[in-house]
Amino acid sequence: MRIGVFAGSFCPVTKGHVDAIEKAAKLVDKLYVVMGVNTNKSYAISKQARFEMLSRSINHIQNVQAVAFDGMLTEYCKQVNASVMIKSVRNAMDTQSVIDLSDINEAYWDGETVFVVGSKDYRHISSSLVRELALLKQNYDNYVPSCCVEELHKYLAVE
């Protein structure tokens, strides 16, 4: 069985994330979508709420399971016997970041780090964009899964 891991902080989960997870799920038999912690970020949404919204957003994908993990992702990969870590790229900056991550991962884990290219309909969408639109009191509903819109409005106030 080919096991993969796809990770992010999902603050908030976007349609771009869901699209990339759907693509990643086609590459493996089992995909763990890991909500991790990025020590360089502060979060506008609680860990529990992010996890619940992520889980709802991907529950239609049969071979996918959402999990929360606070440690180094390569450790999680070892725990579940993942042979591949799948990242999504939207642009050249993302690609370089994945290449750098792949180099680091080799020192801690013997799996492969690969990427899927985000669909052109979603490449412009990021969690940062959604948070910025919310701060500017602009509507961001088209960028996030419909099952999360109402809850996100509570966290990312839009008037």
Side-chain angles (χ1 to χ4, degrees), residues 79-141:
Q79 285 180 22
V80 298
N81 295 316
S83 59
V84 63
M85 183 187 301
I86 306 168
K87 301 294 289 181
S88 174
V89 297
R90 297 170 296 155
N91 53 42
M93 283 180 29
D94 284 353
T95 304
Q96 186 60 56
S97 176
V98 172
I99 291 169
D100 295 344
L101 176 67
S102 177
D103 292 342
I104 296 298
N105 286 348
E106 284 182 18
Y108 296 94
W109 168 65
D110 63 357
E112 291 295 326
T113 304
V114 300
F115 65 85
V116 294
V117 178
S119 295
K120 64 181 175 180
D121 294 339
Y122 301 113
R123 278 188 215 139
H124 64 290
I125 301 172
S126 67
S127 296
S128 299
L129 170 71
V130 171
R131 290 192 310 271
E132 185 172 352
L133 288 170
L135 282 171
L136 295 170
K137 309 233 184 288
Q138 299 299 308
N139 186 299
Y140 54 81
D141 296 0

Side-chain angles (χ1 to χ4, degrees), residues 10-34:
F10 306 107
C11 190
V13 62
T14 68
K15 287 182 177 179
H17 288 130
V18 175
D19 172 69
I21 292 165
E22 289 170 344
K23 288 181 174 197
K26 292 176 184 175
L27 303 176
V28 294
D29 300 308
K30 175 75 175 182
L31 181 67
Y32 291 98
V33 177
V34 179

